[in-house]
Amino acid sequence: MNWTQYCLPNGRKKQTTIDLDLADEAMATELVDRGYVFECEILRTGDVSFTCHLGSDEEGVPIAEVITENGPGVREVVAALVRYAMRVAR
């Protein structure tokens, strides 16, 4: 799944991929097709922020947001965020 990533130190945008299982990937694709955007940012603390919101980049109030440690557990946190966003967006 593609995410817009904001990079340190100045917030430069780039596309990044986070691999999800097929069911979570299908939910994320449906949300994107409906106009939702997924974004992530590595914070100065080293943690990572993940959000999902309706609208183009940098617009809209997040319907799902999580901040987590950067590391091996990120994929599971992202999958949970996608599932939560799908429930909220219905």
Side-chain angles (χ1 to χ4, degrees):
M1 140 173 218
N2 287 323
W3 292 70
T4 299
Q5 179 179 356
Y6 294 92
C7 302
L8 291 172
N10 58 6
R12 176 183 53 85
K13 289 194 278 187
K14 75 173 194 173
Q15 292 299 303
T16 190
T17 302
I18 299 173
D19 293 326
L20 299 173
D21 67 30
L22 292 177
D24 294 328
E25 185 76 31
M27 282 187 267
T29 299
E30 180 181 335
L31 287 165
V32 169
D33 289 347
R34 290 169 48 192
Y36 287 88
V37 176
F38 290 93
E39 297 176 324
C40 60
E41 178 179 6
I42 297 177
L43 306 173
R44 295 188 190 283
T45 62
D47 291 338
V48 185
S49 168
F50 295 95
T51 59
C52 175
H53 61 84
L54 184 60
S56 62
D57 290 351
E58 302 174 18
E59 291 180 7
V61 175
I63 63 164
E65 182 173 28
V66 66
I67 295 175
T68 188
E69 291 182 12
N70 195 4
V74 164
R75 184 175 176 204
E76 290 79 20
V77 170
V78 168
L81 176 124
V82 168
R83 290 189 297 269
Y84 178 80
M86 179 58 87
R87 286 192 308 272
V88 171
R90 291 205 184 254

